[in-house]
Structure formats: C-alpha cells, structure tokens
Amino acid sequence: MAESTAIPSTPSKNASGTASSDALLHLLKRFCLTLRATGETFFLADQIRKRLESFLSGEEDQSGAPIRALKRTLRGCGEIMLDGETAYAVLRPGVGLKEIVCIPPAAEEIESVDRGAYLLVRDTFVQGHEEASKRGLIVDFSPFFRDFPKVNEPSDMGDGVAFLSRRLSAQLQQDPTVFRRRFLDFLRDRQLGGLPILVGSHVDTPEQLLKAIGTVRAVLDEIEADAPYNELLDVLRSNGLEAGWGNSAKSIAANLSLLAQVMNSSGPSRLETLLERLPLIQSVLMVSPHGWFAQEGVLGKPDTGGQVTYVLDQARAMEHYLRAQFLDCGLDIAPTVLILTRLIPSAEGTSCGTRREKVFGAQNVWIVRAPFRDSSGEVLPDWISRFQVWPYLEQFAEDSKAAVAEELMGTPDLIIGNYSDGNLVAHRLAEDWGCTHGACVHALEKTKYLFSDLHWQDMESDYNFSIHFTADLLGYNSADFIVSSSYREVGGSATEMGMIESYELFSMPGLYRVQSGFDPRLARHNIVPPGASEEHFFPNHAQDRRVPAIKKSLVKRYLSAEPGEGSIGRLDNPKLPPIFTMARMDRIKNIPGLVEAYGRSETLCQQANLLIVSSVNDPSQSQDHEEIAEIQRTLELIETYNLWGSVRWVAARLDKVETGEIYRVVADRRGVFAQPALMETFGLTVVEAMACGLPVVVTCYGGPAEIVITGESGIVQDPNDHLRFAAALEAIVGDDVVWQKYAANGIQRVHDAFSWGSHARKFLRIANVHAYWNHVDVMNRQALDRYIHTLYHTVYRPRARALVEAS
C-alpha cells in the first residue's frame, strides 16, 4: 500500500543551516498531533491553512529553514485525514499536480501512497473498513488521454489550442508525406450548406494542390489587388480551388501563400492562423436546458442568472463574427445560431412557453425550446430545479433532434454545451451527429459544497450529487475541448485547486472511486473570457448615451427614503453612497455574508447604505429550499444588526437596460459594487459593474480575482473574513481619490481584456483546430466513447430513473 520515500523537494541539512528531512518530518508530526487534538479527523484546504498559521505562531524561530520547508510542503495541500495516529495528506507540489503521502507516528521518512490506497482510506471514514475494503467501481479516464498533449508549465494551463497546434504541425517534420496527404483530405472534405468549399474533389495529390496554388498566385499577381472574388472564380475552379479563400485578389493571394507555407514548412502559429481563417462553421447549436431561458423577465428566477446572459451574448457574438468571416472569405451565405433550451408550459408570463423565439440584436439567432417529458410521454408543465432535471435529459435530447434539424435543414457544425446538463445533452447530440463539441463549464457544483463527494449520501435528497457528478464526468470527458472563463477554473492558484482540478481525484463512498477524472494539464482546456455588452454596459460619465427617464425611475424605486413595491428597508439618509450587490439568493452567492460584513462595520453603517437586488426577498414567494433559507438568514441579520434604516432590499428582475443603468446610478453616488460569493466561476456582474465605472470589492474565490487587479481596478478579499471585506469597502467609500482611480482603471481593464468579439474569434479558432484534430484522429476516440457509454448505462441512467421512481 505504501512505499517509503523522501519527498524529492525536501532539502538536506548543510552548513548554512538549511532544514533537513528529519527536521521537516518532526514538524509535520507535531502539526498532525495538533490537528489530532481538535478531535476532528478530516481537514480541507482552508482549515489546513488556518490551523497551520495558528501552529506556526507558537514556534520560536519563525524564519527558520524547517518552518519554510513546512510551509512549502503544505502549500496548496487539499486534504489531510487522520486515521488513528497516522496522517494522510494530499500535497500539491505544483499547479495541477498531486502527491499523496502518509505520516505514521514512528516513520523515519514520509511515505508516498498510491491513489487507490488513499481513496480506500478516505472511504473508510464514511463506510468503515469492512465495507470500504470490498471491491467497487473505479473510474479512471487517464488511459484514454495517455497520448493527448499535456502542458508542463502552470502558466500554459488553459491554452490547450496552442499545444494541439504544435503537435499537429510537428507531423510535417515527422512525416511530410502523411501530413500533406491528411491536410489535403481535410480541405477536400469541407462543405458549407452542402456545397464544396476550399479544394475541389478532383485534386488528388498534395503536389497537385501546390501546383494549383502556384498557378493561381501567378495570375493574381498580374491583376488589381481589389479585384473581387466573383471575377476570379473561373481561375480558381479551373485549378481545382473552390470558394472560401478570400473576397479579393489580395486576400486570396495572402491565404494561398499561407497555405503553401503550411504544406511546406508548417509551424504552430502558421497552422493555427490558417485554420482560424478557414470558414469551417456555418451553424452553431448552443445547449442550455435548465432554469428559465428567455430574453426578458427571467433573470433572478431560480437557477437563472449569468449563464442566460452569457449564452445570449455569446450567440450574438458568434453570429456577428461568422457573418464577417464569410464576407472576408468571399462566401455569399449566412450563419445560423440556435439556442436549445427547455420549454416550460407554465411560463409565468415569460416566453419560456414559446417553442421558437428570435434573439434581439441578431439576424439569424433563435431560441428553440423542447419540453421535458415523463416516462409516459407527458409534458412536464412546471420549472424544475437544476438538481432534479437528470431523468428528463435523455428524452429531451431525442426530442430536440427533429426541432434542430428542421431549423438547420441538417445538422450543426459545432455544438456548445453549457453547464453540466447542457454538456450531457450536447454529448449525446454530438455523438449522434458527428459534430465537434465544445464544453463551457460555467460552474462545477462539487467545489461549491463542502464534502459533497465524501458525504454525498447525506445530501442526495436535496442535490442528487451522485447523478450530477457522474454527468460531469461524462459530459466534459466526451467533449472535444473545454472552455473556461478564468484560469482559476482550470488550475486554481498556487494555494488553491481549480474547479476542474478538484475532479481529478475523489471518491463517493458506496458508488465509485475516481482515480482520474479531469486532468487540468491536458491540452483540452482553454480559457476564453466572456465580455460585457458595450450597448448596455458603458461608463456613467457617458451622459449622452443614458436615458434620464430610466435613471429617474431607478432612483425613485431603489434609492428613495421609503421602500416601494417589492422592496423592504427604509433609508434614513438616501443620499449616502450605496454598497451594491445583485445576485440570486443561492447559498454560494453569500448575500447574508455581505449583510453581516456591513452590519459589523460601524464605519460602513455611518458612511454608506446597503442596496441588495435579488430575485425574491419574501420566503413565502419561493419554492426553492436553499433560496428560502438564504432569505430567512438575510432577514435575521438585518434584524440582528438593526439595519432597517440603512438597507434597501429589492426583489426585481432587471432587463439589460435597467441593469446597466443601476450600476451607473450607484456610480453617480460614489458607491461600490460588492461581489461576496463563496465561489464564483467567472463573475460577469463584476465585468459589467466595472464597465459602467463602478469600483468593486470581490471574492478571492474564483474568477473575480482574475478580473480585478487588486489595488488597481478594485480590491480582492476573502468574503469569509467579514471585517476585512468591510474594511475593503470602507477604503473605497471613504476616499474619493481611491474611488476615482478604481473607477477609471476598471473601465480600461474591461476594454482591454473582456470583449465578446475576441471571445467569439478565439472560441471558433479552437473549434477549427479541433475539427482538424478529429480528422487526423490522433487519440483512440472509439475506446473513450465505449467507456463513457458504460458509465452512462451502469451508473447515470439507473440513478436518474430511480430519482423519478422515488419522487
């Protein structure tokens, strides 16, 4: 089970006084004894960090080599378990890496432990040794990705497409004949709308293609650079080339020159640039089943928030980019983008009961809805929590095929799944249709709920994590590539695991043990940040773009002394700067935590009001147990700190126009936007607030910590530390110079880093590279698909069906 070994990074004792492995081991044993004295047996990263700080505070030599070695060894440690007198620790020697060790009381060296043995010990805590030692299901995806490119440097994690391009271009040096043949076949196979593009079917050899390129370029050199494509069609086709290389003599010549370079001396950047320019995608299907998906009147409803905004803006950006690309490529065709979601007959005044809906601000983007059906085929009329949708997704995928095929008159070129349920559906559709599948993460629930894997059975009645986590393993491992919004989703930080990394090694006692779930170092992971709509989210000083009537209405409804309809809380001094937050009443959004931070700060209570905009503020108006609990907790804290004269809590679902203006109204009053989530995948509201000129204080857990450059465009702080979070708010509200600095820098930060145009360009470049990667078929995809089928039919489907039977 265990092999005795010294940690390679542990230094040896020398004349300069560097810590020896003996000194480190001694400290580790003492620290573990300190943990044991608490009476607890299992410690997670945050607990370990706090216990270590307390332990080291009692040491005499704070700067000694042994202390530094202990800090370095436990930096990023994800778990420590105490099994009697033996301690087990999941160390993190680097981002995306894990090393499991155990420390027996009499050991002379730290012992390494393999993953299977560690998971056995882990399950013993829940099941007992006799039950845990029985053979069970082991989930291990590592063999199927053994030959998939991996990144080595932490800074390269999330830039997977660059590594794929290197692998693909290296094939030219390894075997030029094979590379050229494959690339020619790829170009000849391309069609859009059933029509051939790029290279004609009668070009049989790479030599023919290169000769055609040379002939056409020679002709193009002799004509005007701006000669349009339609005047060059005969020249191209007579040499075996089809449309798609450009819209003028100049652009066609440039792209054919790049093609010749790729065929003769392919480099990663050249290959990636060429693939990006090729018009390979005409139709895109985006899948987002859960929640209330519509353009108006849904934000803030249960399970309905940033993802809806993200998908709608992404869809518009995709269509805009593809339309421009076709124009640049000389193609007289139009792209189509469909958003597939759930039809909810009991639509509560929204358009969620409409089967087909055109998306505003786009020419050919449509929302297409299909219903959930029960086992007898009856349509389910009401909204269903994202934790309860699993039994209906298989039939939903089947029912959706006809609706999508009718809209597209065929099948999509690219499917984009959103969240766990959307990617499970996308997996089934992509497999049936042979499409490229890009998976957008948005959130992984495992990181939101402590011990949601180890104690899953205690939470199953509310969250169905056994089905949810299985769906994650299926949907994301089957995808061709995975898109995250921030680095922390993939690799976390030097001291914290990322969401994807947290799925690499875990167990669900009595169900299965995951020895390799998601490897964050695989070149499947790509970071593509979303943007903020420039139409709606612009600086508050752009007065000519603002609508005075909307501003006046929002001020009256939200910042007047007396509460209006749907609001609670009087404002004794309504002119004070607002501390503003806007989120659903989910536990993870941590609105009660912000109320407590505000209530505990006498300075904040005197200098600022607290403005909360959420979907609901009356527990009797909700049917979601988590939402009800959060509302009640928030009300209790308002009462505890007697905040009724300085808090305004509004139950509202704002459209984009109102959302942008409420940020600007708060900025007009020198307020601050607070984002106190316990974990936030990205934090689109943070980007929106900054774009409107509103300084921000944001959580250190997740994407907001990457959006905000602390001390420049806002402040990043731990929302669990109420005093520090309040102090960060105080530092901005109480200093106009700081406020002005953060406001200006925030606007610039959004302009530089968060654009929907660049998002669409990068996303589609990744899809094009993967289209070629799949054509080359480097990895054993068939074996992976069969493994996924086995998990689906033996774990997911039976548990999903049992969920219906139990209800």
Side-chain angles (χ1 to χ4, degrees):
M1 174 176 130
E3 178 184 357
S4 181
T5 179
I7 296 177
S9 60
T10 303
S12 299
K13 192 172 185 177
N14 56 34
S16 64
T18 304
S20 69
S21 58
D22 289 342
L24 172 60
L25 181 60
H26 177 67
L27 268 177
L28 271 172
K29 288 182 178 181
R30 287 182 55 219
F31 176 58
C32 291
L33 288 173
T34 302
L35 295 179
R36 186 181 174 193
T38 66
E40 300 175 30
T41 56
F42 205 107
F43 302 85
L44 295 179
D46 190 53
Q47 297 167 301
I48 296 167
R49 187 163 53 248
K50 290 178 180 178
R51 298 284 184 185
L52 182 62
E53 289 176 1
S54 176
F55 171 75
L56 294 179
S57 66
E59 297 298 301
E60 293 183 6
D61 187 2
Q62 294 288 318
S63 60
I67 298 292
R68 294 198 304 272
L70 180 63
K71 289 180 178 179
R72 186 167 59 249
T73 299
L74 294 180
R75 187 183 189 191
C77 177
E79 295 178 358
I80 291 180
M81 293 190 299
L82 303 179
D83 183 16
E85 295 183 350
T86 299
Y88 292 83
V90 180
L91 303 182
R92 197 164 176 259
V95 174
L97 300 174
K98 286 184 173 62
E99 180 179 2
I100 307 167
V101 300
C102 76
I103 311 163
E108 296 181 359
E109 291 181 321
I110 298 171
E111 300 176 357
S112 65
V113 180
D114 67 42
R115 292 185 172 202
Y118 171 72
L119 293 177
L120 168 62
V121 176
R122 200 175 191 266
D123 284 4
T124 300
F125 278 89
V126 176
Q127 296 179 290
H129 180 74
E130 181 178 353
E131 189 66 26
S133 61
K134 295 177 181 178
R135 291 191 178 186
L137 178 61
I138 302 296
V139 177
D140 187 354
F141 281 91
S142 61
F144 306 101
F145 294 102
R146 184 175 290 120
D147 297 325
F148 206 93
K150 289 187 177 182
V151 304
N152 294 314
E153 290 297 320
S155 59
D156 291 331
M157 291 172 65
D159 192 18
V161 70
F163 280 77
L164 288 196
S165 298
R166 291 177 201 171
R167 174 69 67 87
L168 291 168
S169 63
Q171 293 172 354
L172 179 64
Q173 282 70 45
Q174 295 165 1
D175 194 329
T177 302
V178 171
F179 175 85
R180 291 173 183 141
R181 179 77 253 176
R182 286 174 171 173
F183 202 71
L184 171 60
D185 291 344
F186 175 74
L187 295 176
R188 289 196 315 176
D189 288 347
R190 298 310 100 192
Q191 293 186 346
L192 284 182
L195 299 176
I197 58 171
L198 301 176
V199 176
S201 59
H202 58 284
V203 178
D204 294 322
T205 67
E207 291 73 24
Q208 273 186 274
L209 177 59
L210 288 168
K211 181 181 178 181
I213 293 171
T215 301
V216 172
R217 289 177 65 191
V219 174
L220 296 177
D221 286 343
E222 297 178 358
I223 63 178
E224 294 293 331
D226 59 356
Y229 161 75
N230 56 11
E231 295 180 6
L232 308 170
L233 183 59
D234 289 342
V235 173
L236 291 170
R237 285 185 172 167
S238 64
N239 286 279
L241 300 178
E242 296 287 348
W245 292 109
N247 63 1
S248 66
K250 180 179 180 181
S251 62
I252 293 170
N255 286 327
L256 290 181
S257 174
L258 182 58
L259 173 60
Q261 293 174 28
V262 167
M263 296 289 282
N264 286 312
S265 57
S266 177
S269 60
R270 286 175 179 168
L271 178 62
E272 192 175 333
T273 299
L274 178 61
L275 288 171
E276 177 184 335
R277 292 181 184 179
L278 298 182
L280 305 182
I281 296 169
Q282 182 182 10
S283 56
V284 180
L285 175 66
M286 307 172 73
V287 188
S288 182
H290 78 264
W292 298 77
F293 199 104
Q295 299 179 79
E296 296 179 312
V298 296
L299 294 182
K301 281 180 171 287
D303 293 342
T304 308
Q307 182 174 316
V308 172
T309 300
Y310 175 105
V311 173
L312 286 169
D313 284 343
Q314 185 188 54
R316 294 187 188 96
M318 290 278 184
E319 190 213 26
H320 181 80
Y321 179 86
L322 289 172
R323 196 172 290 277
Q325 184 185 47
F326 293 155
L327 183 64
D328 291 342
C329 291
L331 295 170
D332 186 19
I333 57 177
T336 303
V337 179
L338 299 183
I339 302 169
L340 174 63
T341 189
R342 185 202 163 195
L343 180 80
I344 306 176
S346 300
E348 298 185 5
T350 72
S351 60
C352 293
T354 305
R355 289 187 176 269
R356 190 172 186 266
E357 178 182 350
K358 192 174 189 296
V359 172
F360 307 145
Q363 296 184 46
N364 201 21
V365 180
W366 299 85
I367 300 171
V368 178
R369 298 184 178 92
F372 283 176
R373 299 181 186 273
D374 62 22
S375 57
S376 64
E378 293 296 318
V379 172
L380 276 64
D382 300 317
W383 165 83
I384 299 172
S385 163
R386 70 184 187 276
F387 298 113
Q388 307 291 330
V389 299
W390 310 110
Y392 312 107
L393 296 181
E394 185 171 340
Q395 188 59 49
F396 173 80
E398 291 300 315
D399 292 345
S400 299
K401 289 180 183 177
V404 171
E406 182 180 353
E407 288 287 336
L408 299 178
M409 300 298 290
T411 59
D413 302 308
L414 170 66
I415 299 180
I416 302 173
N418 293 277
Y419 188 69
S420 307
D421 53 355
N423 279 299
L424 189 67
V425 173
H427 149 62
R428 294 187 63 87
L429 296 176
E431 185 177 50
D432 289 349
W433 287 332
C435 306
T436 302
H437 170 197
C440 290
V441 177
H442 294 290
L444 291 171
E445 299 292 340
K446 182 174 172 294
T447 56
K448 293 182 178 180
Y449 300 85
L450 294 180
F451 300 113
S452 56
D453 54 352
L454 195 62
H455 296 299
W456 66 273
Q457 295 187 69
D458 298 336
M459 307 181 193
E460 192 72 352
S461 61
D462 291 329
Y463 298 113
N464 296 299
F465 284 141
S466 68
I467 312 174
H468 200 140
F469 297 169
T470 304
D472 286 335
L473 293 171
L474 297 171
Y476 292 109
N477 277 302
S478 67
D480 293 294
F481 61 93
I482 300 173
V483 167
S484 299
S485 297
S486 65
Y487 182 89
R488 293 200 175 202
E489 293 177 38
V490 183
S493 67
T495 58
E496 298 169 6
M497 284 195 300
M499 289 194 308
I500 288 168
E501 187 181 351
S502 73
Y503 275 71
E504 173 61 0
L505 176 70
F506 69 96
S507 64
M508 303 186 78
L511 186 63
Y512 50 60
R513 294 171 188 162
V514 179
Q515 291 189 184
S516 179
F518 303 155
D519 186 344
R521 296 174 300 150
L522 289 173
R524 304 171 66 234
H525 299 288
N526 297 272
I527 298 167
V528 188
S533 168
E534 295 180 4
E535 178 184 358
H536 300 104
F537 303 104
F538 53 85
N540 68 313
H541 57 67
Q543 295 293 340
D544 58 322
R545 300 181 62 185
R546 299 175 68 176
V547 180
I550 296 175
K551 174 182 175 180
K552 182 178 180 181
S553 172
L554 291 172
V555 170
K556 181 178 180 180
R557 286 158 57 193
Y558 297 167
L559 293 172
S560 58
E562 297 297 335
E565 184 179 355
S567 302
I568 60 175
R570 170 185 172 78
L571 297 180
D572 292 338
N573 187 352
K575 295 188 179 298
L576 289 177
I579 304 298
F580 173 45
T581 194
M582 181 165 53
R584 301 188 310 276
M585 293 304 295
D586 289 353
R587 185 192 66 84
I588 208 70
K589 297 298 184 181
N590 193 34
I591 286 181
L594 175 63
V595 175
E596 184 156 9
Y598 175 83
R600 294 178 64 182
S601 170
E602 186 176 335
T603 300
L604 275 184
C605 290
Q606 292 175 351
Q607 293 185 351
N609 291 320
L610 179 61
L611 172 60
I612 303 168
V613 175
S614 65
S615 53
V616 62
N617 56 18
D618 182 350
S620 68
Q621 300 299 310
S622 175
Q623 297 177 344
D624 184 281
H625 70 277
E626 186 174 293
E627 191 173 60
I628 292 170
E630 289 300 289
I631 295 169
Q632 291 173 336
R633 176 62 178 155
T634 302
L635 291 170
E636 290 170 2
L637 288 167
I638 292 173
E639 189 69 43
T640 298
Y641 292 104
N642 192 24
L643 302 178
W644 292 113
S646 58
V647 66
R648 171 63 44 79
W649 186 4
V650 184
R653 299 186 178 101
L654 305 181
D655 60 28
K656 279 195 171 183
V657 173
E658 293 174 317
T659 300
E661 190 57 28
I662 192 63
Y663 289 130
R664 289 186 285 272
V665 165
V666 174
D668 290 341
R669 298 191 173 206
R670 293 296 190 265
V672 182
F673 181 73
Q675 213 284 19
L678 302 175
M679 169 56 72
E680 185 64 56
T681 306
F682 177 65
L684 192 55
T685 55
V686 176
V687 174
E688 293 171 349
M690 291 166 63
C692 294
L694 186 58
V696 298
V697 174
V698 302
T699 178
C700 63
Y701 300 113
E706 291 176 47
I707 297 170
V708 177
I709 301 175
T710 195
E712 292 295 328
S713 54
I715 299 176
V716 178
Q717 189 54 263
D718 186 347
N720 295 302
D721 191 327
H722 297 142
L723 294 181
R724 289 186 178 180
F725 202 85
L729 294 166
E730 294 169 13
I732 301 175
V733 170
D735 191 323
D736 192 60
V737 173
V738 172
W739 192 98
Q740 293 281 5
K741 172 186 173 182
Y742 290 167
N745 289 348
I747 293 169
Q748 190 63 45
R749 171 73 172 150
V750 172
H751 178 270
D752 293 343
F754 303 103
S755 157
W756 276 115
S758 63
H759 172 96
R761 179 184 61 80
K762 186 172 183 180
F763 199 110
L764 292 167
R765 179 177 77 237
I766 295 168
N768 280 7
V769 171
H770 276 272
Y772 179 56
W773 175 266
N774 290 337
H775 173 82
V776 173
D777 191 25
V778 176
M779 61 181 287
N780 186 0
R781 180 72 202 203
Q782 187 178 42
L784 172 62
D785 288 342
R786 288 177 177 173
Y787 188 65
I788 287 172
H789 291 170
T790 301
L791 279 178
Y792 184 91
H793 290 288
T794 59
V795 180
Y796 176 86
R797 180 187 271 175
R799 296 198 71 84
R801 287 180 173 176
L803 175 59
V804 175
E805 294 169 1
S807 59

